């Protein structure tokens, strides 16, 4: 039995704790209400679609077809409109080049309301860093994307793509359409592991690299689910749910893997012979570049920084290209005349070579225009967010104070009919040198723009060209009309329905 004085003190402790929780909850509510008032007042001059009293626009945003809903709002409210995720998080949603330039030509920080969800996994790497530390990292990492480093990756892209295409050859033999998305995802992640750590998933299913591969796939999926599930937005609640615990376990696997690879590489670098071997290797990987990076004050990246940057590459670099390649192949299936023209071009460039070389990529003019046109219609990253560090005044004289939240709706920007006549028409010639030179520099932003643009865009474009050229040489792609993709904005632009395509092998001379 509990003595009465103890039960008394327990109950008074309990009372005090509940009192404290109530006070903290109350203070949090006041803070949220004040913030709401500030954000709403800031957007007073921007009319927008009606909001639900509790969910704001969240219900519409979660629905299938939400992207096209925003495009229809964009017609109703030129330039920008408020967009509320629930009651307390309100962004100014923008989709006009001058508006985009006013914000994205500056280096304002990322909106913590969105990017803080990534921290548990990718830590403070380039994507979420801000201020002088971001600049220091950006300078240190930029040499990793120099074309001398990228050139040898063509062989890595080729090797991973061949594995995927051989798998497709077997699937295509069944004569049915199949979903290409997972295989593209596997190929892109495997490629990125090879370019980051120098080795990919062995495919054996039980190695350390395979566990890492599975953990990264799981983390991407869980993070996407969390973003659209408002009940999971609070950290405390999320970590208590089965999803949240699964996320933490996968994070642990990913972090352990990254830490161990870094430790092993650092230890190996102590050995002069290994150093020589690395120098003579056919390509340096990102880890080599990161470990060799010194800034002008002779400062190296700390272990925590190294891990954050590696994890950021893995996060930013595979899902985006997976989305880009999948939508591109869908566009090729939808527009056979463009597919045919791209194939003729890459056949001519390949000639009697076995595989593509770096210099070939610059010759793929029509393919590049088609990739850009598919990025326009299906931007892999459909939205990016900022929090203003100082006020901004837009071209029409309307302004926003510091602290306001901005959502750059790349999908709606790319369908802005003031910039893109007949925006729904797939027309690669929009990207001819002549046409592109006449366009606003912030009209086409698949890789964002300004100082916080994508550091990996050359890598991504090279990968996209090699992979898609090889796909077109090996197969003819056509649609399965019973299972067309349904656009679903998650962290990247996915399809609710997958990407079911018919693949017809093209036989000898198809670049095997
Ligand atoms: C088709 C492929 C890709 C697309 C469409 C894409 C798109 C983007 C976009 C829109 C941003 C800005 C994000 C924001 O402001 O929140 C970004 C940033 C970034 N991307 Fe990519 N990306 C792609 C591939 C890659 C690859 C392959 C890598 C690395 C290997 C990469 C690494 C990064 C990093 C580190 C940042 C943050 C840069 C900074 O803030 O300084 N991306 N990307």
């Amino acid at each position: 039995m509990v003595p009465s004085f103890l039960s008394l003190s327990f109950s008074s402790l309990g009372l005090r704790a509940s009192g404290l929780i109530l006070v903290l909850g109350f203070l949090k509510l006041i803070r949220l209400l004040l913030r709401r008032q500030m954000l709403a007042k800031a957007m007073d001059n921007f009319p927008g679609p009606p909001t639900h009293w509790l969910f704001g626009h969240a219900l519409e945003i979660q629905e299938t077809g939400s992207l096209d809903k925003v495009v229809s709002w964009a017609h109703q409210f030129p330039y920008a409109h408020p967009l509320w995720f629930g009651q307390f998080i309100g962004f100014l949603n923008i989709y006009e080049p001058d508006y985009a330039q006013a914000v994205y030509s500056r280096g304002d920080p990322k909106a913590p309301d969105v990017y803080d969800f990534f921290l548990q996994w990718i830590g403070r790497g380039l994507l979420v860093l801000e201020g002088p530390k971001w600049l220091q990292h950006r300078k240190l990492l930029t040499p990793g994307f120099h074309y001398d480093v990228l050139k040898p990756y063509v062989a890595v892209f080729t090797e991973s793509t061949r594995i995927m295409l051989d798998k497709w050859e077997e699937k295509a033999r069944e004569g049915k359409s199949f979903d290409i998305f997972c295989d593209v995802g596997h190929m892109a992640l495997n490629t990125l592991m090879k370019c980051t750590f120098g080795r990919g998933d062995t495919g054996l299913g039980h190695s350390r690299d395979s566990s890492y591969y599975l953990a990264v796939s799981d983390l991407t999926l869980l993070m996407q689910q969390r973003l659209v599930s408002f009940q999971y937005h609070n950290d405390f609640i999320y970590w208590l749910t089965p999803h949240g615990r699964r996320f933490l376990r996968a994070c642990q696997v990913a972090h352990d893997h990254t830490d161990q690879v870094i430790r092993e590489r650092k230890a190996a670098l102590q050995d002069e012979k290994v150093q020589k071997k690395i120098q003579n290797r056919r390509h340096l990987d990102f880890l080599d570049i990161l470990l060799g990076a010194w800034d002008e004050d002779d400062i190296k990246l700390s272990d925590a920084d190294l891990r954050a940057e590696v994890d950021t590459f893995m996060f930013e670099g595979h899902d985006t290209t997976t989305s880009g390649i999948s939508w591109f192949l869908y566009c090729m299936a939808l527009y056979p005349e463009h597919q045919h023209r791209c194939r003729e071009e890459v056949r001519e460039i390949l000639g009697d070579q076995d595989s593509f070389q770096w210099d070939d990529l610059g010759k793929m003019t029509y393919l590049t225009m088609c990739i850009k046109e598919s990025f326009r219609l299906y931007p892999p990253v459909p939205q990016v967010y900022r929090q203003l560090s100082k006020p901004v005044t837009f071209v029409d004289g309307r302004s926003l104070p510091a602290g306001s939240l901005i959502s750059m709706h790349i999908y709606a920007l790319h369908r802005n009919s003031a910039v893109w006549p007949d925006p729904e028409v797939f027309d690669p010639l929009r990207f001819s040198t002549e046409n592109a030179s006449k366009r606003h520099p912030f009209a086409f932003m698949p890789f964002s723009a300004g100082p916080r643009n994508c550091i990996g865009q050359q890598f991504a474009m090279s990968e996209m060209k090699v992979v898609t050229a090889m796909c077109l040489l090996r197969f003819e792609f056509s649609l399965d009309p019973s299972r067309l993709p349904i656009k679903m904005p998650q962290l990247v632009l996915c399809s609710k329905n997958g990407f079911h395509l018919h693949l017809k092998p093209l036989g000898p001379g198809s670049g095997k």
Side-chain angles (χ1 to χ4, degrees):
M1 223 174 89
V2 183
S4 60
F5 72 90
L6 263 186
S7 67
L8 238 180
S9 63
F10 275 144
S11 64
S12 79
L13 249 176
L15 258 175
R16 275 181 206 189
S18 339
L20 189 68
I21 290 172
L22 265 178
V23 171
L24 288 177
F26 184 67
L27 287 176
K28 172 101 185 155
L29 185 68
I30 302 261
R31 252 189 40 214
L32 287 172
L33 284 170
L34 286 174
R35 185 167 185 241
R36 180 195 154 77
Q37 206 183 16
M38 184 286 276
L39 292 172
K41 191 162 175 288
M43 292 191 284
D44 251 0
N45 286 329
F46 296 88
T51 50
H52 184 278
W53 69 273
L54 180 62
F55 298 113
H57 302 108
L59 296 177
E60 281 116 320
I61 293 300
Q62 278 185 42
E63 275 169 19
T64 317
S66 68
L67 287 168
D68 293 313
K69 177 121 220 163
V70 175
V71 173
S72 77
W73 285 340
H75 286 138
Q76 248 177 300
F77 308 101
Y79 304 128
H81 67 74
L83 187 66
W84 288 90
F85 296 98
Q87 272 302 295
F88 302 114
I89 309 178
F91 289 85
L92 184 71
N93 194 37
I94 63 176
Y95 28 74
E96 197 276 333
D98 281 323
Y99 264 59
Q101 183 163 22
V103 178
Y104 285 77
S105 58
R106 327 187 311 185
D108 295 76
K110 307 289 169 87
D113 301 85
V114 176
Y115 294 80
D116 278 3
F117 291 139
F118 307 160
L119 291 180
Q120 186 72 26
W121 173 21
I122 64 171
R124 294 199 179 273
L126 211 50
L127 182 70
V128 282
L129 276 173
E130 54 180 280
K133 190 153 182 194
W134 166 76
L135 191 61
Q136 183 212 19
H137 280 218
R138 182 94 187 190
K139 280 190 189 157
L140 285 174
L141 302 192
T142 298
F145 293 93
H146 189 274
Y147 74 94
D148 276 342
V149 177
L150 298 183
K151 265 183 187 176
Y153 289 162
V154 172
V156 180
F157 303 150
T158 305
E159 186 184 72
S160 302
T161 311
R162 277 216 177 108
I163 298 172
M164 176 180 81
L165 296 180
D166 289 345
K167 210 187 294 174
W168 283 359
E169 193 103 23
E170 274 176 37
K171 289 190 183 177
R173 247 181 246 139
E174 290 173 26
K176 289 192 243 148
S177 74
F178 60 89
D179 185 3
I180 58 159
F181 188 73
C182 281
D183 293 332
V184 174
H186 194 163
M187 181 273 304
L189 184 49
N190 207 7
T191 297
L192 205 60
M193 283 172 73
K194 287 180 196 158
C195 296
T196 309
F197 307 123
R199 58 185 205 223
D201 167 27
T202 56
L204 298 175
H206 44 69
S207 74
R208 206 177 68 194
D209 295 331
S210 295
S211 316
Y212 176 74
Y213 169 80
L214 292 176
V216 171
S217 308
D218 213 24
L219 284 169
T220 315
L221 182 79
L222 289 168
M223 222 148 71
Q224 298 199 340
Q225 287 172 349
R226 184 176 182 195
L227 210 67
V228 292
S229 313
F230 286 85
Q231 69 276 21
Y232 286 162
H233 280 194
N234 179 286
D235 274 350
F236 182 71
I237 296 174
Y238 185 60
W239 304 138
L240 292 175
T241 65
H243 265 207
R245 289 202 300 276
R246 197 169 118 201
F247 186 89
L248 290 177
R249 278 197 302 275
C251 265
Q252 192 64 49
V253 174
H255 291 162
D256 287 351
H257 179 273
T258 309
D259 289 344
Q260 192 164 349
V261 178
I262 293 173
R263 261 198 314 275
E264 285 171 5
R265 186 68 63 87
K266 275 187 160 176
L269 282 173
Q270 305 295 327
D271 186 333
E272 264 181 42
K273 270 196 219 141
V274 179
Q275 270 186 32
K276 274 243 153 60
K277 224 167 117 189
I278 290 177
Q279 278 159 12
N280 293 335
R281 250 201 337 238
R282 67 188 170 128
H283 71 262
L284 292 177
D285 54 42
F286 284 131
L287 198 51
D288 297 323
I289 307 274
L290 293 176
L291 285 169
W294 302 81
D295 73 2
E296 55 255 34
D297 302 321
D298 269 3
I299 296 178
K300 294 198 93 170
L301 293 173
S302 71
D303 281 357
D305 288 343
L306 279 172
R307 188 223 264 175
E309 293 305 350
V310 166
D311 290 342
T312 297
F313 281 180
M314 295 308 298
F315 165 62
E316 270 292 310
H318 87 278
D319 238 21
T320 44
T321 40
T322 304
S323 161
I325 294 165
S326 304
W327 283 108
F328 172 85
L329 292 177
Y330 162 71
C331 288
M332 290 294 98
L334 188 58
Y335 305 108
E337 66 283 14
H338 296 298
Q339 180 179 168
H340 177 73
R341 209 167 147 187
C342 287
R343 183 174 298 111
E344 288 305 303
E345 180 183 77
V346 292
R347 269 189 184 150
E348 202 168 302
I349 293 168
L350 187 66
D352 45 18
Q353 300 177 105
D354 289 351
S355 53
F356 293 108
Q357 308 301 313
W358 174 260
D359 289 342
D360 295 330
L361 308 190
K363 300 176 197 156
M364 298 177 176
T365 322
Y366 200 73
L367 179 76
T368 307
M369 291 197 293
C370 287
I371 292 176
K372 289 187 179 168
E373 181 64 343
S374 83
F375 276 166
R376 181 185 71 81
L377 284 167
Y378 305 101
V381 180
Q383 244 168 313
V384 288
Y385 309 88
R386 295 287 185 274
Q387 177 156 36
L388 297 185
S389 56
K390 52 183 192 233
V392 67
T393 301
F394 297 108
V395 279
D396 55 0
R398 292 187 288 183
S399 58
L400 281 179
S404 305
L405 300 172
I406 300 282
S407 140
M408 170 73 237
H409 209 283
I410 299 176
Y411 182 91
L413 173 78
H414 287 179
R415 280 173 155 80
N416 183 335
S417 52
V419 187
W420 307 98
D422 300 322
E424 294 299 331
V425 173
F426 186 89
D427 176 9
L429 291 177
R430 297 179 201 270
F431 292 96
S432 69
T433 318
E434 197 198 340
N435 289 338
S437 66
K438 288 187 215 140
R439 226 172 359 251
H440 194 296
F442 284 72
F444 180 60
M445 296 177 53
F447 294 106
S448 190
R452 298 300 299 256
N453 68 356
C454 174
I455 197 173
Q457 56 186 295
Q458 292 308 333
F459 177 99
M461 280 308 287
S462 316
E463 181 178 1
M464 289 276 309
K465 287 185 202 175
V466 173
V467 176
T468 55
M470 288 180 69
C471 288
L472 292 174
L473 285 173
R474 282 277 281 270
F475 298 100
E476 189 177 296
F477 294 84
S478 56
L479 294 180
D480 176 347
S482 67
R483 280 192 277 190
L484 295 176
I486 300 171
K487 284 169 284 187
M488 185 170 63
Q490 294 196 320
L491 290 171
V492 296
L493 185 59
C494 298
S495 158
K496 195 173 174 184
N497 214 14
F499 292 81
H500 290 266
L501 300 179
H502 286 285
L503 272 64
K504 188 173 136 208
L506 289 171
S510 59
K512 265 192 207 182

